[in-house]
Amino acid sequence: MDNLIKGDKHYWEMVIGLEVHAQVKSNSKLFSSSSTKFGSSPNSQVSLVDAAMPGMLPVINKYCVEQAVKTGIGLNAKINNYSVFDRKNYFYADLPQGYQISQYKYPIVGEGKVTIDFKDGTSKDIRIVRLHLEQDAGKSLHDQNPSKTYVDLNRSGVALMEIVSEPDIRTPEEAGMYISKIRSILMYLDTCDGNMQEGSLRADVNISVRKPGEEYGTRCEIKNLNSIKFIKQAINYEAKRQIEILESGGTIEQNTMLFNTATGKTRPMRNKEEAHDYRYFPDPDLLPLKIPEDDIKLIQSSIPELPDDLKNKFIETFKLSNYDASVLTAEKQTSDYFNDAINSDPDLKNFPKIIVNWITSELFSLLNKNNLDLKNSPVSAKNLGQLVKLITSNEISGKIGKDVLEEMFTSRKSAREIVNEKGLKQVTDQGEIEKVIEKVISENSKMVQEYLGGKDKLLGFFVGQAMKETKGKANPKILNDILKSKLIKKN
Ligand code: ADP
Ligand code: MG
């Protein structure tokens, strides 16, 4: 039931399917030898083919084809030995050919699936319909001149993989997890750099709503979303919009929508076009693509360990939960970091879960706050391992550990250095703690009477006072034990 949203009159379920556009990681374009480098000066990477000069002929880039096959294998999908490039005709200023070379009836990759893992330990498969190769268009720049639109063709002809899912997704969170998983797989495969900010990975989101158990409703498609946050926002907004229309007796028009990132709202861009509007036909300049089984086998043998394999290995080796293991393996840099941390000290092998927590909650939140990535983390894996070792060996408390981590983050010093410099070592000396407790008891005799009179809750107060007295350094267990024994003795 928690997948449902409540309208004014009914409960509704979202039905979502994603078309992910992933830029193929390749030095040159799909049908020309121009560079694909991001951020170069406008129109500096445009060959005569990319500019669609008359008489130019496309030549297929073998490497891009191999990258698509690799990706298909990584998505557990069927690789088609035979595929065809078609012309998808439409008119737009940043599309000099007047058509996009894409694949329609015969895509290079067929049905596959991707697994997403939930916090509660369950998983779900999202089915992939297909993956096809196509050219990217150029870019229209509307904000360079008040009265003109400029066109930059650097992106024109860059290879894209369009990965189409079945409408198996039911919530904005699932949509986010699905695209994260795709991104993760592609990055492990090294077939896409996964950079959503630069637009290397973006998605069109199809969404409809229905009453549970009913047939799928009419969908709208929200174009070109390049962050997971926007994908979720757009889905939420669009679902609400559709529910309001349906509950007031209206019908949904199948529109293509744009999402305004500033207002968080969607608005219609155009009526949904049908395939026949594009007048698809096989590109006469290109032969059908035939990939022999042996070539596919060769590519198969080059596939590296993928996130799901690594996840299962982590579950087995470290007895981690499915969810923890999936978070750790989502990005290769995270699993590498974890490996480096846990291998930095032999004793740490016994505390994998604690290391996971320090990485995925404490360190990640510091990185987030500072807009940093794990690969430029000021805290090295080895130093994080050392911090966890100090905690698990009871030299410092977990609470002080958090302060130490923050200090490590800003000063780049090691945990040991900070603990020594600031004298943060946990006090485990019985006698020393006893002294502190006696002081607290004698200074709060009224409270002590109340506690002994049955006000159990006051124990926390004494613990707090004693902790304050030791600047948080007392070992909590020893402190509690002594405190309880002292307070009973008085009775
Ligand atoms: P088109 O070729 O017109 O884009 P497709 O059938 O290929 O249409 O579907 C495009 C995307 O829309 C797919 O990701 C699919 O999962 C999704 N989709 C199809 N029907 C629905 C629906 N009723 N609600 C939400 N998404 C849908
Ligand atoms: Mg489509």
Side-chain angles (χ1 to χ4, degrees), residues 392-411:
T392 51
S393 61
N394 274 327
E395 286 196 51
I396 60 171
S397 68
K399 194 152 172 291
I400 284 191
K402 286 187 194 183
D403 299 337
V404 172
L405 183 66
E406 276 188 38
E407 175 88 22
M408 290 164 75
F409 204 87
T410 45
S411 71

Side-chain angles (χ1 to χ4, degrees), residues 107-142:
I108 184 165
V109 175
E111 291 171 1
K113 74 172 168 61
V114 160
T115 307
I116 53 175
D117 298 299
F118 299 100
K119 246 190 183 134
D120 68 3
T122 59
S123 306
K124 172 173 173 174
D125 284 347
I126 310 291
R127 290 169 301 157
I128 307 259
V129 183
R130 57 190 273 150
L131 174 156
H132 63 254
L133 270 172
E134 63 186 25
Q135 299 175 299
D136 208 344
K139 221 181 194 165
S140 299
L141 308 168
H142 304 289

Side-chain angles (χ1 to χ4, degrees), residues 14-20 104 127 129-130 162-170 204-209 215-221 254 272-275 280:
M14 301 185 196
V15 174
I16 303 160
L18 258 56
E19 294 164 90
V20 174
Y104 180 55
R127 290 169 301 157
V129 183
R130 57 190 273 150
E162 177 169 333
I163 303 164
V164 184
S165 85
E166 292 283 0
D168 288 345
I169 298 163
R170 291 289 172 271
D204 300 341
V205 176
N206 293 268
I207 162 157
S208 61
V209 296
E215 299 281 294
Y216 289 160
T218 304
R219 71 182 194 267
C220 282
E221 176 173 353
Q254 191 178 334
K272 172 70 186 171
E273 62 292 307
E274 299 290 333
Y280 278 103

Side-chain angles (χ1 to χ4, degrees), residues 131-175:
L131 174 156
H132 63 254
L133 270 172
E134 63 186 25
Q135 299 175 299
D136 208 344
K139 221 181 194 165
S140 299
L141 308 168
H142 304 289
D143 53 0
Q144 309 283 306
N145 183 300
S147 57
K148 291 189 173 107
T149 290
Y150 293 161
V151 173
D152 176 8
L153 292 181
N154 280 353
R155 213 177 59 184
S156 167
V158 166
L160 293 180
M161 300 179 278
E162 177 169 333
I163 303 164
V164 184
S165 85
E166 292 283 0
D168 288 345
I169 298 163
R170 291 289 172 271
T171 64
E173 289 67 39
E174 284 183 20

Side-chain angles (χ1 to χ4, degrees), residues 358-473:
W358 279 90
I359 295 175
T360 60
S361 43
E362 305 308 327
L363 181 61
F364 275 9
S365 91
L366 281 173
L367 289 168
N368 258 340
K369 257 190 237 155
N370 292 280
N371 242 329
L372 286 171
D373 214 308
L374 194 56
K375 66 172 175 289
N376 32 41
S377 165
V379 177
S380 70
K382 212 174 135 211
N383 277 347
L384 186 106
Q386 193 184 70
L387 172 70
V388 175
K389 170 84 191 268
L390 288 171
I391 296 162
T392 51
S393 61
N394 274 327
E395 286 196 51
I396 60 171
S397 68
K399 194 152 172 291
I400 284 191
K402 286 187 194 183
D403 299 337
V404 172
L405 183 66
E406 276 188 38
E407 175 88 22
M408 290 164 75
F409 204 87
T410 45
S411 71
R412 291 178 182 257
K413 288 183 184 159
S414 76
R416 166 77 60 201
E417 275 175 290
I418 294 166
V419 168
N420 287 346
E421 269 173 28
K422 300 208 156 176
L424 295 175
K425 237 181 119 168
Q426 185 156 256
V427 180
T428 46
D429 182 80
Q430 298 261 354
E432 207 171 316
I433 296 177
E434 243 180 76
K435 259 191 231 153
V436 171
I437 289 175
E438 268 158 19
K439 180 161 179 268
V440 169
I441 288 178
S442 71
E443 282 172 3
N444 297 284
S445 48
K446 205 169 143 250
M447 299 273 215
V448 172
Q449 289 315 315
E450 283 178 36
Y451 174 77
L452 295 176
K455 228 173 159 186
D456 290 350
K457 267 192 281 181
L458 282 174
L459 189 67
F461 166 79
F462 298 120
V463 173
Q465 289 299 309
M467 271 296 182
K468 214 157 121 194
E469 206 55 47
T470 61
K471 299 206 175 63
K473 288 186 293 184

